[in-house]
Amino acid sequence: DRRCNRRRHDRRRPAGDRRRGRRCLDGPTSAPLAPQEEEALWQATMSDEDDIAPPDEGAEVDELEPAEALEELLEEVADGLGLEVEVEVQEGDGVLRGSLRGEDVGLFIGRRGQTIDAVQHLAQRIVFREGPSPVRVVVDADGYRERRAESLRADAEQAAEDVQSSGQPVQLDPMPAAERRIVHEYLRERGGVATHSEGDEPERRLVVTPLED
């Protein structure tokens, strides 16, 4: 049986209107970003993630449960982007899922999902600061993850058909590990072709090949 602790925030709060006494990130609220600054946000997020470390001894830090820490992080990111959204956090089946709903979440998703993927990667590190956790953090916005998964499966099906008709390997575009996993699993269940990954992150890509005789 699936057990889920669901936290829903039905109010919409303007950017910068935070609750007091609970913080996940240090520093003042960022000013709303213009759309052209989106890629800079993604690059900064990815470059800063390796600097995450436990707070200094003696520093005053609120102890948050994982769901609360994820909620707080997503609210701060949304505030920084100037978005008015609802944040919903669900727990269950080894997944901690944070979802944003509202207007202009395309800025949060970013070009080709770069921003939302960066936030998800960062969230895993922030929510579980002690180290690797069996619980996987997933960050979504207005159903983007499922729409993206459907698109990946369609691309995988087309690639498999091309491989079977031509007998030649087909390389897919570079994608993050989570998306490669979706394609691997789809084609494994489909059958008729084989898959493997090549290259180094962030240019690592999946290759679809004919089955060996």
Side-chain angles (χ1 to χ4, degrees):
D1 294 337
R2 186 174 187 272
R3 300 180 61 185
C4 181
N5 176 25
R6 189 169 185 175
R7 299 167 54 85
R8 185 173 181 83
H9 302 270
D10 293 325
R11 68 193 183 287
R12 290 190 176 184
R13 301 182 298 109
D17 181 14
R18 299 182 185 175
R19 289 165 296 166
R20 296 181 179 178
R22 292 177 50 198
R23 299 191 61 187
C24 183
L25 296 178
D26 295 329
T29 304
S30 302
L33 300 180
Q36 60 266 31
E37 295 178 282
E38 169 198 331
E39 186 170 355
L41 168 70
W42 174 77
Q43 292 175 343
T45 304
M46 294 303 290
S47 63
D48 289 346
E49 65 170 6
D50 292 333
D51 296 330
I52 299 170
D56 295 336
E57 291 184 7
E60 184 178 351
V61 179
D62 292 332
E63 293 294 334
L64 301 179
E65 294 296 324
E68 293 176 322
L70 179 58
E71 174 195 356
E72 188 78 0
L73 171 63
L74 295 180
E75 287 180 346
E76 293 204 14
V77 173
D79 285 346
L81 291 171
L83 305 180
E84 293 187 357
V85 297
E86 297 174 2
V87 176
E88 179 180 279
V89 176
Q90 297 174 294
E91 296 178 273
D93 296 339
V95 175
L96 182 61
R97 178 180 294 272
S99 301
L100 273 65
R101 298 184 185 281
E103 298 179 359
D104 300 325
V105 293
L107 183 58
F108 180 84
I109 294 170
R111 185 178 58 189
R112 299 179 62 185
Q114 286 184 327
T115 305
I116 193 172
D117 286 343
V119 172
Q120 178 173 291
H121 190 74
L122 184 64
Q124 185 78 41
R125 301 279 299 276
I126 287 180
V127 171
F128 299 106
R129 285 180 178 269
E130 297 79 9
S133 169
V135 177
R136 182 166 58 95
V137 174
V138 174
V139 175
D140 198 3
D142 278 352
Y144 166 78
R145 293 296 181 192
E146 183 53 37
R147 294 195 304 273
R148 177 61 176 159
E150 290 177 358
S151 176
L152 289 170
R153 295 183 192 109
D155 290 344
E157 178 63 32
Q158 183 61 58
E161 292 177 2
D162 292 345
V163 168
Q164 288 181 309
S165 62
S166 69
Q168 299 298 316
V170 171
Q171 284 191 347
L172 300 181
D173 291 335
M175 63 185 75
E179 295 188 351
R180 294 197 303 271
R181 187 181 306 115
I182 292 172
V183 176
H184 277 302
E185 292 175 353
Y186 174 80
L187 293 179
R188 183 176 64 247
E189 294 178 2
R190 176 192 185 277
V193 293
T195 61
H196 67 274
S197 295
E198 295 181 352
D200 299 321
E201 303 291 0
E203 296 300 316
R204 192 164 175 79
R205 65 185 68 216
L206 189 142
V207 181
V208 185
T209 60
L211 288 175
E212 295 181 359
D213 295 334

